[in-house]
Amino acid sequence: MSWEKVDLWPKAVLYMEYASAVDKDSPQFGLWCALSLEILARSAIANINPVLLAEPDRDHKHLLNILGLSSLPGHSAKSIGTVQVLSLCKILIPNFLDEDFKFSTSFSNMRNEELHTGSAVFATQKSSQWAHSFYRCCKILAEAQSESLESLLGNDEALFAAEILNKKEDAVLKQVRQLITSYQVVFDAKLQSEKDDLAKAAEDNS
């Protein structure tokens, strides 16, 4: 059993290769992406220190096992759950924000529902609904361990991911600019005395 980045990272890459081999609207694509994202998150934490993945217990059995210090016969180390891994990502990886934690947790729940119930979640949730959030998490978690979208996905898939990320960023930027313009119109219509008061209030609050 290995919790080292040197083993976890190639597994995340392998699962993404499986995902890339199928149609992006197929349920298999979503499932392989969800599996890869969990391993990717574990790899990012292992890159900091693999012992962080050990399930806490009073006697430190799991921690001792991963350190190679356990002498208990037949004892197998137990790792923390996916949500705990993602919580550590939010704490330890600066760019992994609350929105990334929420998406990754939800995506993991989708994977569990797909694997452990009769629901065909990824048949009803098209990749276009989650692709941007997924690739954003991939980029953040890969770069946190001195990797990249290219090393995770391969050049072609990385270009596809970058296109999705850029389109979303352009759409958000356009929305912000429209919002600024609308506020500017309202501001310009005010009396000069009102403008002066608002400017002073903004300066006082800065």
Side-chain angles (χ1 to χ4, degrees):
M1 179 183 295
S2 173
W3 296 351
E4 300 282 346
K5 184 222 169 180
V6 68
D7 295 309
L8 288 167
W9 171 262
K11 191 172 184 179
V13 172
L14 178 63
Y15 284 179
M16 283 310 308
E17 288 177 0
Y18 292 158
S20 300
V22 298
D23 188 276
K24 287 183 171 56
D25 284 328
S26 72
Q28 290 84 3
F29 179 73
L31 180 57
W32 283 120
C33 285
L35 290 169
S36 180
L37 185 59
E38 178 183 345
I39 301 299
L40 181 61
R42 290 182 182 274
S43 179
I45 296 302
N47 186 61
I48 298 171
N49 198 315
V51 301
L52 292 168
L53 295 173
E55 175 75 21
D57 70 288
R58 187 181 63 182
D59 300 320
H60 305 300
K61 294 190 299 292
H62 308 303
L63 179 60
L64 291 172
N65 188 291
I66 195 172
L67 290 172
L69 301 174
S70 176
S71 59
L72 297 175
H75 175 70
S76 179
K78 182 179 180 182
S79 63
I80 58 176
T82 305
V83 174
Q84 290 173 290
V85 173
L86 296 171
S87 294
L88 284 176
C89 288
K90 189 169 71 166
I91 294 169
L92 299 173
I93 299 173
N95 292 333
F96 195 83
L97 306 179
D98 190 55
E99 64 184 274
D100 305 307
F101 170 78
K102 289 178 179 177
F103 166 75
S104 299
T105 302
S106 175
F107 207 44
S108 175
N109 290 336
M110 288 168 61
R111 179 210 63 192
N112 289 339
E113 188 173 350
E114 179 76 34
L115 290 175
H116 303 299
T117 76
S119 300
V121 179
F122 288 112
T124 56
Q125 295 283 332
K126 298 300 183 184
S127 62
S128 58
Q129 297 174 267
W130 48 261
H132 172 264
S133 296
F134 171 72
Y135 288 126
R136 172 184 158 84
C137 290
C138 286
K139 186 175 188 296
I140 293 168
L141 293 173
E143 291 178 351
Q145 46 193 313
S146 301
E147 300 287 353
S148 65
L149 280 178
E150 287 76 11
S151 59
L152 175 66
L153 306 174
N155 290 333
D156 291 342
E157 289 298 317
L159 286 173
F160 174 78
E163 184 178 349
I164 288 178
L165 291 172
N166 290 335
K167 281 183 178 179
K168 182 70 173 183
E169 289 172 3
D170 289 344
V172 171
L173 184 59
K174 181 179 179 181
Q175 186 177 21
V176 170
R177 284 172 174 165
Q178 289 174 339
L179 188 61
I180 291 173
T181 300
S182 66
Y183 276 110
Q184 186 65 50
V185 170
V186 173
F187 183 79
D188 289 344
K190 293 181 180 295
L191 296 173
Q192 186 59 48
S193 58
E194 292 179 291
K195 293 180 182 179
D196 293 341
D197 289 341
L198 288 171
K200 185 178 185 304
E203 183 177 345
D204 292 340
N205 290 327
S206 62

